[in-house]
Amino acid sequence: MQTGTKRFHTALLALLTACAGLPATAQQANGQRPTNIILVVADDLGYGNLTCYNPGSKIPTPHIDSLARQGTRFTRFYAGNTVCAPSRCALMTGYHMGHAYIRGNAREHLRPQDTTLAQRLQARGYVTGMFGKWGLGQENDAGAPQLKGFDEFYGYLNQRHAHYYFTDHLFELKNRQLEQVRTDSQYSHGLIMDQALDFVRRHRQEPFFLYLPVTIPHAELLLPREDLQPFLDKDGNSKFSPEKPFVQKGDGYHSQAQPRAAFAAMISRLDRDMGRLMQALRELGLDSNTYVFFTSDNGPHKEGGADPVYFNSNGPLRGIKRDLYEGGIRVPMIAWAPGKVPAGRSSGEVWAFWDVLPTLCELTGAPSPGNIDGISFLPAIRGKAQAQQHDHLFWQFNEGRLKQALLQGDWKLLRFKQKDKPEVLELYNIRRDMGEQHNLAAQYPERVQALKALMRASVSPSASPKFDWSELN
């Protein structure tokens, strides 16, 4: 997947660093190149699915645990939303759900005026590659990956296609054109990881941004037999018996006789592949000049036979995917960069997907837009005092009914509204009650009203009729 962009990017980087007076100027003058960035986003990985967040997890994750020991583990980091597409929109554009263009999983794409993190790093001189699930545009619209800052892409364009791992085709960016490529029904996650590792090897001599939105452990719960084998006994029975087989319904996920074993195997495969990635960085001598970020797009799912209760996938948190309780939106975030990010540290700094864009812009010297919701958390990542903090964080989601959440300090307000029905308000103190078991709305009516006013002020009218929920606001 050669892009033919190396000379262009080298020239552009020289022009930017010569003219813009950005931090990379000093690096180039000292014979150093700007740092590489790797951003890994798992699909529906729960807060409790990693042993570094949930020591009692039934599924060992030694490679990701090692990443956490060597870096900083953030315990109050939040996804952009509780489902795929809007969460990724927040990540790429720096806007929360009151201002983002894509606010739900309805089929929609980024517009020409929506600029992404990848576009900003590409303009900064980075070679940009994405391998996995995009979810923000199709091949023939304004949200196509090559129009949103990516030099290379291999994977799925939309989330529905990404549900199926043994697909007969994926998409690849060749000469700035998207093409369908045959997969011969090989396991797509394996193909995606191979392409990502190849990208790192080919671009080891130049600054790169690798966006790796892998598609596991989301349903369907299928993977090669050799990956499943460690979670079966000598007779081929699941080590997590009794299993409740999942039976395919209509056009849904494929049947799985051993869904618990399959889910555990997918978490293990993700962990093992993170180990492969980190080993590649060490072998290529890139571990001293690369930042790695590992997170998830939202909370754990119960689709395709998945059993988040059995695996305690949300850990001490309430709720799962499609909830705005903590379990649906609080996700792992590990930052790793030896000598730059403190090792073995746990941080309770409160930040979210929309902060990633300004954080990585500051890290790379790329200009960050001034009108977004995100702020840079680079000081916190480097173990320094974080002077700038959010006054509050906001989420909004609608599948069946409107769900809104606002977090200010330790207080979190949830609002539920259906047409022609009274609204429901719930108030929690997250520091004292991270499991959101004690609704304090009746005890603190003035605080409820103050947070509700902030909630209303956090929402602007949607530019897309697909996400116009004004009658419920």
Side-chain angles (χ1 to χ4, degrees):
M1 285 197 315
Q2 299 292 337
T3 65
T5 61
K6 182 175 180 179
R7 292 182 180 176
F8 169 77
H9 284 307
T10 301
L12 180 58
L13 178 57
L15 177 62
L16 284 169
T17 55
C19 299
L22 297 172
T25 307
Q27 293 178 338
Q28 295 289 75
N30 293 329
Q32 301 175 357
R33 78 177 200 202
T35 187
N36 306 309
I37 306 292
I38 297 177
L39 175 58
V40 182
V41 180
D43 199 343
D44 292 8
L45 178 73
Y47 191 88
N49 285 140
L50 303 176
T51 46
C52 56
Y53 281 86
N54 179 20
S57 174
K58 294 180 172 68
I59 312 167
T61 51
H63 296 290
I64 299 173
D65 296 347
S66 177
L67 191 75
R69 285 193 304 271
Q70 297 170 22
T72 293
R73 179 178 62 99
F74 289 90
T75 59
R76 294 192 68 185
F77 181 76
Y78 291 91
N81 207 324
T82 188
V83 292
C84 172
S87 192
R88 292 159 197 261
C89 180
L91 181 70
M92 283 289 115
T93 66
Y95 290 103
H96 64 51
M97 288 301 103
H99 301 137
Y101 179 66
I102 296 176
R103 305 185 189 185
N105 253 351
R107 188 69 64 85
E108 186 61 279
H109 58 78
L110 292 177
R111 304 162 298 175
Q113 63 266 41
D114 298 318
T115 60
T116 69
L117 170 62
Q119 286 173 285
R120 295 181 182 282
L121 297 188
Q122 186 183 61
R124 184 72 181 93
Y126 278 71
V127 178
T128 56
M130 171 174 45
F131 305 90
K133 180 169 74 173
W134 176 225
L136 300 177
Q138 297 288 103
E139 64 267 40
N140 296 316
D141 60 42
Q146 73 272 24
L147 301 180
K148 291 301 166 191
F150 290 101
D151 299 314
E152 301 187 22
F153 169 73
Y154 182 89
Y156 298 89
L157 290 175
N158 72 71
Q159 55 266 32
R160 185 170 295 278
H161 182 202
H163 290 172
Y164 306 104
Y165 293 109
F166 292 94
T167 177
D168 62 357
H169 75 278
L170 292 171
F171 289 87
E172 184 175 8
L173 189 54
K174 296 181 178 180
N175 299 316
R176 296 197 59 77
Q177 295 294 320
L178 281 168
E179 300 179 9
Q180 283 194 24
V181 290
R182 288 176 53 86
T183 63
D184 297 323
S185 295
Q186 297 180 70
Y187 188 51
S188 62
H189 172 76
L191 298 174
I192 286 165
M193 283 302 306
D194 288 345
Q195 292 285 356
L197 291 169
D198 180 63
F199 174 86
V200 171
R201 295 186 182 102
R202 286 188 289 105
H203 296 293
R204 61 185 180 273
Q205 299 297 335
E206 55 195 328
F208 62 78
F209 169 52
L210 168 60
Y211 176 42
L212 187 53
V214 296
T215 54
I216 60 176
H218 186 36
E220 55 191 354
L221 299 181
L222 288 181
L223 70 171
R225 185 70 180 181
E226 60 266 26
D227 289 332
L228 188 63
Q229 199 65 42
F231 299 94
L232 306 178
D233 63 22
K234 60 183 178 60
D235 297 320
N237 299 313
S238 170
K239 293 181 179 179
F240 303 106
S241 295
E243 291 271 18
K244 181 180 179 181
F246 173 77
V247 180
Q248 183 183 31
K249 300 174 182 179
D251 295 328
Y253 304 116
H254 283 84
S255 298
Q256 173 56 258
Q258 299 162 313
R260 288 177 177 173
F263 181 78
M266 293 175 84
I267 297 287
S268 182
R269 176 66 184 261
L270 173 62
D271 180 72
R272 188 168 73 250
D273 283 334
M274 281 302 298
R276 291 175 62 203
L277 176 62
M278 301 310 293
Q279 181 62 27
L281 294 181
R282 289 189 288 269
E283 291 175 353
L284 296 170
L286 297 174
D287 50 333
S288 63
N289 193 42
T290 302
Y291 276 75
V292 176
F293 299 90
F294 179 90
T295 187
S296 175
D297 66 340
N298 48 248
H301 68 91
K302 61 177 181 180
E303 299 158 24
D307 190 348
V309 174
Y310 176 81
F311 284 108
N312 194 22
S313 292
N314 51 6
L317 309 177
R318 176 183 179 181
I320 59 174
K321 180 179 180 179
R322 292 185 171 82
D323 290 323
L324 290 183
Y325 295 111
E326 295 287 286
I329 53 177
R330 193 193 293 203
V331 292
M333 166 55 88
I334 300 169
W336 177 95
K340 304 177 183 69
V341 173
R345 179 170 176 261
S346 179
S347 172
E349 295 281 359
V350 178
W351 57 304
F353 262 31
W354 48 91
D355 298 315
V356 171
L357 184 152
T359 298
L360 297 189
C361 282
E362 182 179 0
L363 175 60
T364 59
S368 179
N371 64 336
I372 58 175
D373 296 306
I375 60 178
S376 172
F377 272 76
L378 187 59
I381 289 169
R382 289 176 169 168
K384 301 177 182 178
Q386 178 70 33
Q388 189 178 13
Q389 301 278 354
H390 285 292
D391 177 74
H392 59 275
L393 301 180
F394 173 79
W395 299 266
Q396 180 165 294
F397 177 63
N398 185 32
E399 279 189 12
R401 60 174 176 167
L402 183 69
K403 303 174 184 178
Q404 294 175 312
L406 186 134
L407 176 68
Q408 186 179 50
D410 296 335
W411 292 96
K412 182 178 175 185
L413 180 70
L414 290 105
R415 177 176 179 259
F416 305 93
K417 184 70 171 71
Q418 287 179 279
K419 189 175 182 180
D420 301 326
K421 293 185 179 181
E423 68 179 7
V424 176
L425 297 168
E426 298 178 7
L427 178 70
Y428 300 96
N429 186 300
I430 296 301
R431 187 169 298 277
R432 299 175 185 171
D433 177 26
M434 67 185 299
E436 295 168 292
Q437 297 300 309
H438 307 288
N439 180 9
L440 303 176
Q443 294 175 236
Y444 297 95
E446 292 183 359
R447 186 178 295 276
V448 167
Q449 292 307 312
L451 294 180
K452 183 178 174 182
L454 268 180
M455 188 177 277
R456 291 187 180 279
S458 297
V459 183
S460 63
S462 173
S464 169
K466 294 180 181 179
F467 312 120
D468 180 15
W469 308 322
S470 54
E471 65 177 15
L472 298 178
N473 284 322

